[in-house]
Amino acid sequence: MTILVTGGAGFIGSNFVYYQLKQHPEDRVVCLDKLTYAGNLATLEDAMKQKNFRFVKGDIADRARVFELFREEKFDIVVNFAAESHVDRSIEDPGIFLTTNILGTQVLMDACRAFGIGRYHQVSTDEVYGDLPLDRPDLFFTEETPIHTSSPYSASKASADLLVLAYHRTFKLPVTITRCSNNYGPYHFPEKLIPLIISRALNDETLPVYGKGENVRDWLYVEDHCSAIDLVIRKGRVGEIYNIGGHNERTNLQVVKTVLKELNKPESLITYVTDRPGHDQRYAIDPTKIHNELGWLPATKFDDGIRRTVEWYLANRPWWENILKGDYQHYYERMYAKR
Ligand code: NAD
Ligand code: TYD
């Protein structure tokens, strides 16, 4: 089989590339990535040494380029990770989120239709469900929870999901969608909470916590997300949505303190800053469907996952230090100067 992985130079996409190459060495993996600020080719260095991997630089919203690639390769499955993914950036400048996340999805699905691809898989997010109140720990997102988005990022992801379902119903495109909770692990870009905290704490810099740090996220180790997508693309039912999560809810403050303990750094580094506008209170996934239908369960407990993640960032300092030296630094100043 040949699998197209879009956005494979980013955080989850790269972990998925390595997961595929390890679990299914008989398959070929082609990665299409625009290499935006979030894409890092260094991440794929080891993959590029393997004969059954090919990297292609390109934009999923570039119709001519995408169709050219589909003509060159005979894809069996397309897995779309490519996206603008950071909520704070979507609040600063929503435009590119609509172009990549919605129009890019449309282009990929048009190519799948034109070339008769066996499966189009959309990597979506639990953020399409909006948020849950902090005082109702009994509530969880199921696949039936209505879409109710808060940020331009989640609105763009939800729009793409609706388009994917429309292409299934109208054109019979064989699609699946997964909606996962917050991921963490190796190759996570240091603008997101956990790698930001690790990299800044290691440099003894202040740690910006939005509001009171009471917002809750449901954390999943990235490899568990990869194993779930792998199951869905091979055994999931066409036309279905599967939620992915491991019941690992933590407040942001709990997460930051866990990381600090692991690094042996003081809590005095924590600085409370102005809250994110429209900040979602709580995300919590009910993963019953994927467990019952496909037997998926997460393998990594939060404390173990955090330990492994911290160890990875300690062992791979050049990876994130190179990022911090680049565009990211200007981004950080722009984002936090007024907070
Ligand atoms: P990321 O920002 O780390 O990586 C995104 C990748 O997509 C980068 O390599 C970037 O260069 C590439 N890309 C961006 N625009 C592109 C375009 N127009 N054409 C081709 N490539 C493009 O993101 P991530 O955290 O790895 O997220 C991957 C996917 O998973 C996204 O669709 C996101 O919505 C979804 N998701 C993320 C999380 C999470 O916790 N990070 C949770 C659930 C779902
Ligand atoms: P983030 O990693 O941006 O993921 P998302 O917003 O998609 O869930 O943020 C995770 C949580 O951490 C979210 O509630 C916002 C919060 N946060 C901070 O408190 N400080 C920060 O500097 C960042 C980036 C996030």
Side-chain angles (χ1 to χ4, degrees):
M1 272 208 311
T2 301
I3 303 178
L4 174 64
V5 176
T6 67
F11 166 43
I12 309 174
S14 62
N15 277 279
F16 186 75
V17 164
Y18 284 114
Y19 187 88
Q20 284 302 310
L21 293 174
K22 190 163 165 220
Q23 301 295 328
H24 306 284
E26 70 284 4
D27 290 341
R28 201 172 119 71
V29 176
V30 177
C31 167
L32 174 68
D33 197 296
K34 187 181 172 184
L35 295 182
T36 68
Y37 79 93
N40 188 348
L41 208 48
T43 302
L44 292 174
E45 222 173 88
D46 287 337
M48 286 197 281
K49 289 178 194 148
Q50 302 205 22
K51 279 210 292 286
N52 55 342
F53 177 79
R54 176 184 174 200
F55 177 80
V56 178
K57 185 173 186 299
D59 185 339
I60 59 164
D62 179 346
R63 187 169 287 268
R65 183 71 193 90
V66 167
F67 273 65
E68 186 189 310
L69 180 63
F70 275 67
R71 257 189 298 275
E72 278 169 32
E73 299 273 354
K74 296 269 168 289
F75 296 122
D76 298 284
I77 301 177
V78 172
V79 187
N80 182 24
F81 289 92
E84 287 294 332
S85 69
H86 191 37
V87 173
D88 293 323
R89 286 183 189 256
S90 81
I91 295 168
E92 286 271 291
D93 187 6
I96 186 69
F97 284 74
L98 310 193
T99 308
T100 288
N101 299 2
I102 307 172
L103 298 180
T105 296
Q106 184 211 352
V107 168
L108 286 173
M109 289 196 297
D110 284 343
C112 286
R113 280 187 70 206
F115 290 85
I117 307 304
R119 176 67 67 88
Y120 174 82
H121 182 74
Q122 178 74 358
V123 180
S124 186
T125 164
D126 61 355
E127 301 196 26
V128 302
Y129 299 121
D131 63 352
L132 297 164
L134 290 176
D135 60 359
R136 290 293 306 275
D138 55 313
L139 297 180
F140 296 90
F141 297 137
T142 72
E143 291 78 2
E144 272 71 51
T145 301
I147 280 180
H148 185 81
T149 54
S150 313
S151 69
Y153 163 68
S154 56
S156 69
K157 293 294 290 185
S159 305
D161 282 12
L162 293 176
L163 202 59
V164 173
L165 295 173
Y167 268 55
H168 174 60
R169 170 139 180 185
T170 304
F171 305 122
K172 306 277 176 290
L173 189 72
V175 307
T176 38
I177 297 176
T178 46
R179 292 177 175 157
C180 189
S181 60
N182 285 63
N183 284 212
Y184 67 100
Y187 302 119
H188 204 177
F189 194 82
E191 67 182 348
K192 304 283 171 66
L193 181 68
I194 290 179
L196 180 104
I197 296 304
I198 297 173
S199 55
R200 288 185 66 82
L202 281 173
N203 289 331
D204 296 308
E205 293 170 316
T206 55
L207 311 178
V209 170
Y210 297 169
K212 293 185 185 149
E214 287 169 349
N215 302 59
V216 170
R217 296 292 183 264
D218 186 355
W219 294 96
L220 187 74
Y221 192 63
V222 62
E223 205 173 81
D224 286 325
H225 188 185
C226 295
S227 72
I229 294 174
D230 186 45
L231 266 180
V232 170
I233 60 175
R234 287 162 199 272
K235 299 197 175 127
R237 283 187 296 137
V238 163
E240 293 293 315
I241 298 166
Y242 294 91
N243 282 355
I244 307 171
H247 286 300
N248 258 312
E249 288 178 54
R250 299 284 189 286
T251 66
N252 292 339
L253 208 50
Q254 282 171 328
V255 169
V256 173
K257 287 182 179 176
T258 307
V259 170
L260 285 174
K261 210 164 151 210
E262 208 51 58
L263 290 171
N264 211 10
K265 292 285 182 180
E267 290 184 6
S268 56
L269 290 175
I270 294 173
T271 314
Y272 295 94
V273 301
T274 312
D275 211 352
R276 170 187 284 171
H279 197 173
D280 280 337
Q281 304 249 294
R282 170 176 169 253
Y283 301 146
I285 282 278
D286 176 353
T288 306
K289 179 174 173 179
I290 190 167
H291 175 61
N292 287 350
E293 275 193 25
L294 304 176
W296 178 84
L297 275 177
T300 307
K301 292 201 183 73
F302 185 70
D303 287 344
D304 296 336
I306 285 290
R307 195 165 309 122
R308 278 162 73 180
T309 303
V310 165
E311 279 165 9
W312 188 89
Y313 279 82
L314 284 169
N316 292 278
R317 263 190 113 109
W319 183 87
W320 54 269
E321 280 177 345
N322 282 342
I323 292 172
L324 295 187
K325 275 188 229 140
D327 155 69
Y328 183 76
Q329 218 144 36
H330 310 298
Y331 164 77
Y332 191 88
E333 283 155 18
R334 207 173 68 237
M335 235 32 183
Y336 293 92
K338 290 177 259 131
R339 275 199 138 109

